[in-house]
Amino acid sequence: MPLTEFELIERYFRDCGAARSDVIAGIGDDAALVAVPPDTELVVATDTLVAGVHFPEGSPAASIGHRALAVNLSDLAAMGARAAWALLALTIPRAEEAWLAEFAAGLAALARAHRVALVGGDTTRGPLTVTVQLLGTVPPGAALRRCGGRAGDALFVSGTPGDAAAGLALEERRLAAEPLALAYLRERFLRPTPRMALGERLRGHASACIDVSDGLLGDAGKLARASQTGVEISFAAVPVSEPLVRAVGEEQARTLALTGGDDYELLFAVHPEKVSAMLADLPPERWGYTRIGALRAAPGAEVLREGTVMQFSHSGYQHFT
Ligand code: ADP
Ligand code: MG
């Protein structure tokens, strides 16, 4: 017998997230009721994943559950916020129990890891579409914004961008790699790691922050524009993983790192006089971030190699001639 909507919610989503004492009413009432601590600002984000647009049709259900929350967690990380409560609006073509169990498990593991309670949502029938809304908190005035940078700020990125774009290409068989690199890169697309701890620790250090979801270069341009500056990135400084270099070569690895997407790393600017305190407080080798460039007065986003400006398109780069 097919599951009713009520059974589906009870079975897969009632205990999906973390248990939190500040949830007064979670799943089961008309709306969720949460106790917001005094002296905090609420930080709220939502993101939708559509099958065939944001992930390949037939992606593992656990990965879809993980990514739906991860993309929202990453937005909160970029604000320097701590996540607390999530809502899930799920549109599915049919109630397939094995798929739902895997999807909920993928979502639950990440939610519990970051102490996020699933407090409500909506369930509808239609083409597979997953929307998560995530709420979190930050001390008043402490949130990181895109707009706080100024010319001369050093620019840093966490992790090794480009891996996820290669992972997606491998998933879609547009790329091949040997088994170890393939496993690592696929995982980087299917289960991105939102940089929650780093985001929180960057409060007081970073002048501006954005999460890298649409490609490092484009997102650097967004941060710079919001800060009313431009940005310069050194091609040689862009960090790339060893498996990515093995799969596509060093040149293409850096190109993918700049123009790929789905990284969910943090890109942040730091006033020059604050750099040494940050490096001492958050040792880069432990926290996993790299200096890749600087904000500048002239508008635009440029990548420099040995003094030459490189030109990028989605398919790669050509030299500026
Ligand atoms: P209503 O008709 O009042 O919107 P629903 O039947 O849609 O009620 O939802 C019942 C309860 O289940 C609500 O608390 C709602 O937030 C929750 N809910 C519905 N779908 C989901 C879902 N996919 N994930 C988590 N909670 C859900
Ligand atoms: Mg409803």
Side-chain angles (χ1 to χ4, degrees):
M1 223 175 39
L3 278 181
T4 66
E5 189 183 325
F6 175 79
E7 288 167 336
L8 183 158
I9 295 164
E10 286 298 310
R11 191 169 306 172
Y12 299 108
F13 300 117
R14 157 85 57 199
D15 298 312
C16 183
R20 291 182 63 100
S21 59
D22 55 12
V23 178
I24 302 164
I27 292 173
D29 214 314
D30 287 310
L33 191 60
V34 298
V36 180
D39 285 319
T40 50
E41 288 174 358
L42 267 185
V43 185
V44 185
T46 189
D47 250 316
T48 295
L49 302 184
V50 179
V53 178
H54 301 100
F55 56 88
E57 307 264 6
S59 281
S63 158
I64 300 170
H66 176 100
R67 292 183 76 245
L69 181 59
V71 300
N72 284 283
L73 283 168
S74 182
D75 281 327
L76 261 61
M79 301 294 290
R82 181 174 295 182
W85 312 288
L87 295 129
L88 168 68
L90 180 63
T91 303
I92 42 177
R94 70 200 84 82
E96 208 177 290
E97 299 198 34
W99 189 94
L100 282 162
E102 263 188 59
F103 171 85
L107 180 65
L110 187 63
R112 291 185 188 135
H114 295 289
R115 298 202 53 241
V116 172
L118 185 64
V119 295
D122 196 27
T123 308
T124 51
R125 190 180 297 271
L128 180 58
T129 304
V130 188
T131 299
V132 168
Q133 184 181 25
L134 185 62
L135 296 91
T137 58
V138 71
L144 301 174
R145 306 283 309 277
R146 293 180 180 183
C147 56
R150 54 179 195 230
D153 284 1
L155 187 71
F156 298 84
V157 71
S158 67
T160 51
D163 291 343
L168 175 59
L170 289 162
E171 278 294 281
E172 295 180 329
R173 305 191 192 282
R174 291 180 278 115
L175 181 68
E178 45 85 17
L180 269 183
L182 182 126
Y184 166 86
L185 295 168
R186 260 190 98 223
E187 182 74 358
R188 294 274 289 153
F189 173 75
L190 294 175
R191 285 192 341 118
T193 306
R195 304 298 181 187
M196 308 314 291
L198 179 62
E200 268 195 69
R201 290 295 298 271
L202 285 174
R203 298 197 311 235
H205 291 304
S207 58
C209 187
I210 187 172
D211 79 314
V212 180
S213 53
D214 300 333
L216 177 55
L217 182 55
D219 288 332
K222 287 184 200 165
L223 181 147
R225 216 170 309 119
S227 293
Q228 295 178 288
T229 67
V231 58
E232 277 176 11
I233 294 173
S234 156
F235 187 74
V238 173
V240 283
S241 74
E242 199 245 328
L244 182 61
V245 172
R246 254 188 293 139
V248 301
E250 197 163 321
E251 183 86 10
Q252 190 60 24
R254 294 222 163 83
T255 300
L256 266 180
L258 285 158
T259 60
D262 300 310
D263 297 303
Y264 305 105
E265 296 295 347
L266 295 181
L267 178 71
F268 51 99
V270 182
H271 294 329
E273 69 276 13
K274 291 193 142 189
V275 168
S276 59
M278 179 185 72
L279 296 177
D281 185 31
L282 305 172
E285 58 287 355
R286 182 140 68 80
W287 285 85
Y289 64 90
T290 309
R291 187 174 190 151
I292 57 166
L295 302 184
R296 64 173 194 200
E302 284 180 341
V303 180
L304 298 177
R305 175 156 64 179
E306 288 155 10
T308 324
V309 176
M310 299 169 79
Q311 281 287 76
F312 287 87
S313 67
H314 262 297
S315 51
Y317 84 94
Q318 300 108 38
H319 269 288
F320 201 59
T321 47

